[in-house]
């Protein structure tokens, strides 16, 4: 097929040039509409049909582009947003694709706007008119904050591809499972007062002492009970992130707060974590009523796994000539799995994601194009 779109590097440059930062902080959070429109134009040029979906009550959008009709097919998915960046820490312009030392620098080059440049380049070079099964490209919003784009799409779409490939940077390894993430804050309220007279006063640090003991018990329990041999760290991890409390040495500590996170493996659901946690805190909360307040921090993401024995997983393993493995970071897979079995496979390393001078090592370019081309041709022709 004759190319109707710009070159790979030109497309890559145009995608990186458009700032699409997602943030919990409203002052830096940006709409992704300009990028969605640009992607829509590129895929339209390749005769894909386009559907754009607004995430209700936001200025964020998903795009689904499709070619071909009928059952099954492949869906390639990527998120359009990036994290924020620290201007002082970057040595290149985050919005200018910079090539040097066999690397391509820019915000989103691996995480993960670059994936769309790969897809466009590969699709423009094959004779797509001969495909027998549909190809879908999904571009989602808000992956870096609450994953509302993938969630909304999976709840509203009617398409039924055979398989979804998310192009997050996996160093081109095929990933079938990842850990989840949930974080909490516990605020403990004591009494205020001068330290010289502690009688009848409750010091929040003394309650925290009990709570931390309970949480360490919980940590040991989940580490002993749950295990998954495919993960490099085979058990769910729990980490205390911060502890804050008190204002002066001669004052009773009125408020103490702790934060902690749990990264579950697929057998441990977010719901079970919540139940176990509340159960653990029950005794202490009863002892100190209305003083202990537990709340979720941020957006929780369940762990994800599709069985290695699944027919489609084995088919993709054969086509890619590699075996599935696991990662410790989260993706949109737990939401997209409602649509189809989901695997993760993309160029570049997660080590460069969310870091100043994010780069794609150019050694990934040819193998990524080869794998994507092979997948489309073998799967959809
Ligand atoms: Zn990402």
């Amino acid at each position: 097929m004759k190319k109707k779109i710009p070159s790979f590097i030109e497309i890559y440059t145009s995608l990186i040039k458009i700032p699409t930062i997602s943030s919990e902080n409203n002052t830096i959070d940006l709409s992704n509409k300009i990028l969605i429109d640009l992607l829509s134009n590129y895929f339209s040029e390749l005769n894909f049909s386009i559907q754009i979906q607004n995430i209700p009550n936001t200025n964020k959008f998903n795009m689904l582009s499709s070619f071909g009709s009928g059952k099954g097919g492949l869906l390639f998915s990527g998120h359009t947003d990036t994290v924020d960046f620290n201007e002082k820490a970057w040595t290149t312009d985050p919005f200018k694709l910079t090539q040097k030392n066999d690397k391509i620098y820019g915000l989103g080059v691996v995480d993960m706007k670059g994936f769309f440049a790969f897809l466009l380049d590969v699709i423009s070079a094959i004779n797509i008119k001969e495909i027998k099964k549909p190809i879908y490209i999904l571009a989602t919003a808000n992956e870096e904050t609450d994953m509302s784009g993938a969630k909304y799409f999976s709840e509203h779409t009617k398409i039924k591809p055979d398989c979804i490939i998310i192009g997050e940077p996996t160093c081109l390894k095929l990933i079938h499972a990842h850990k989840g993430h949930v974080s909490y804050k516990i605020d403990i309220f004591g009494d205020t007062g001068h330290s010289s007279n502690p009688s009848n006063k409750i010091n929040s640090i003394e309650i925290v002492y009990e709570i931390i003991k309970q949480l360490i018990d919980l940590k040991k329990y989940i580490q002993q009970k749950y295990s998954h041999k495919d993960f490099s760290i085979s058990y769910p991890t729990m980490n205390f992130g911060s502890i804050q409390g008190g204002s002066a040495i001669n004052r009773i500590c009125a408020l103490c707060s702790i934060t902690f996170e749990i990264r579950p493996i697929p057998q441990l659901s977010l719901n079970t974590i919540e139940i176990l946690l509340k159960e653990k805190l029950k005794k202490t909360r009863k002892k100190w009523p209305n003083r202990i307040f537990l709340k979720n921090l941020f957006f929780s993401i369940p762990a994800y796994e599709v069985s290695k024995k699944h027919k489609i997983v084995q088919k993709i393993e054969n086509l890619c000539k590699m075996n599935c493995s696991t990662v410790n970071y989260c993706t949109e897979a737990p939401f997209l799995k409602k649509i189809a079995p989901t695997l993760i496979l993309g160029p570049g390393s997660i080590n460069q994601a969310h870091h100043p001078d994010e780069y794609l090592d150019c050694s990934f370019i040819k193998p990524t194009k080869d794998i994507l081309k092979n997948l489309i041709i073998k799967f959809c022709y």
Side-chain angles (χ1 to χ4, degrees), residues 79 111-112 143-144 168-169 354:
H79 60 85
D111 188 20
M112 57 167 292
E143 190 269 349
E144 301 288 2
E168 292 275 9
H354 303 198

Side-chain angles (χ1 to χ4, degrees), residues 64-65 72-78 115 119 134-139 153 157 159-166 336 339-343 379-380:
L64 177 72
S65 64
L74 266 183
L75 186 155
F76 293 97
S77 182
F115 186 57
L119 289 168
I135 304 175
Y136 302 98
I137 313 294
L138 173 64
F153 181 81
T157 187
I159 61 165
K160 289 240 172 291
D162 296 308
C163 180
I164 299 174
I165 308 280
I166 301 178
L336 296 180
I339 306 168
T342 302
L343 293 162
F379 203 98
C380 298

Side-chain angles (χ1 to χ4, degrees), residues 129-237:
K129 287 200 173 116
E130 286 179 11
I131 65 159
K132 305 263 185 319
K133 286 180 171 191
I135 304 175
Y136 302 98
I137 313 294
L138 173 64
T140 63
N142 277 1
E143 190 269 349
E144 301 288 2
T145 49
D146 57 8
M147 301 204 177
S148 52
K151 262 179 113 177
Y152 188 77
F153 181 81
S154 60
E155 282 158 12
H156 291 87
T157 187
K158 291 197 171 67
I159 61 165
K160 289 240 172 291
D162 296 308
C163 180
I164 299 174
I165 308 280
I166 301 178
E168 292 275 9
T170 65
C171 288
L172 283 183
K173 288 190 175 121
L174 191 61
I175 303 301
H176 76 107
H178 64 67
K179 286 191 173 175
H181 184 256
V182 57
S183 51
Y184 292 96
K185 184 179 187 202
I186 303 182
D187 288 320
I188 300 102
F189 290 88
D191 299 322
T192 186
H194 196 276
S195 61
S196 59
N197 182 11
S199 59
N200 302 323
K201 298 277 187 177
I202 290 164
N203 188 311
S204 61
I205 291 178
E206 292 184 21
I207 304 181
V208 169
Y209 170 71
E210 286 185 32
I211 289 177
I212 289 176
K213 276 197 294 186
Q214 308 295 344
L215 292 176
I216 291 173
D217 272 357
L218 175 66
K219 170 175 151 169
K220 286 181 190 152
Y221 174 78
I222 57 176
Q223 290 185 353
Q224 278 157 13
K225 175 150 173 138
Y226 298 94
S227 143
H228 192 311
K229 65 175 175 36
D230 290 350
F231 284 91
S232 58
I233 298 157
S234 61
Y235 49 84
T237 55

